[in-house]
Amino acid sequence: MAKKFEELRAKMSPESRARSKALADKLRAEMPLHGLRQARGLSQESLATRLNVKQPSIAKLEQRTDMYISTLRDHIRALGGELEIIARFPEGEVKITNFAQLPDPAHKEAQDD
């Protein structure tokens, strides 16, 4: 018979529990977009519905290594979060605020004509 996780955890030393917790915290703090979507309990289809796109678009986006900040911001908002861009320097961190309200690129092109 399978043992419950809590029973196994109770048998671990305090040091092992602390290492396990630290690793779990690190894994939760860093994950790819598909992992974040899954951790939030959403399917690609349900996220696509929220973003008004088709499911293959979500699959493609989750595999990309380069994208517009506005695309990533919309994706994160659809997952229920907010995107912040932080620059890290030896002397400290700086939150970049230029991207808070990006204009719609299609709108800008129309204005430039």
Side-chain angles (χ1 to χ4, degrees):
M1 180 189 277
K3 293 186 178 182
K4 292 184 179 180
F5 178 73
E6 287 302 318
E7 292 174 15
L8 294 173
R9 197 170 101 103
K11 294 178 183 178
M12 294 171 64
S13 70
E15 295 83 14
S16 291
R17 276 184 274 186
R19 281 193 310 273
S20 177
K21 182 183 180 324
L23 178 59
D25 290 346
K26 182 178 189 274
L27 291 173
R28 271 194 298 271
E30 300 176 8
M31 64 179 69
L33 283 176
H34 76 275
L36 179 57
R37 174 186 48 75
Q38 290 170 343
R40 301 287 297 164
L42 293 171
S43 66
Q44 286 182 345
E45 188 65 42
S46 63
L47 183 57
T49 300
R50 288 183 181 192
L51 289 169
N52 199 25
V53 298
K54 296 189 184 305
Q55 177 274 326
S57 296
I58 300 299
K60 186 176 177 181
L61 181 95
E62 289 180 346
Q63 298 303 314
R64 295 187 68 177
T65 57
D66 191 17
M67 68 184 74
Y68 286 114
I69 292 170
S70 58
T71 301
L72 180 58
R73 183 190 62 224
D74 291 346
H75 193 89
I76 297 299
R77 282 184 177 163
L79 292 171
E82 286 296 324
L83 179 67
E84 291 184 355
I85 308 290
I86 307 290
R88 291 191 177 86
F89 299 96
E91 56 275 0
E93 296 181 349
V94 177
K95 179 179 175 183
I96 308 299
T97 59
N98 304 46
F99 308 115
Q101 295 298 325
L102 287 175
D104 181 352
H107 214 72
K108 180 165 178 10
E109 289 172 13
Q111 292 174 346
D112 290 344
D113 288 339

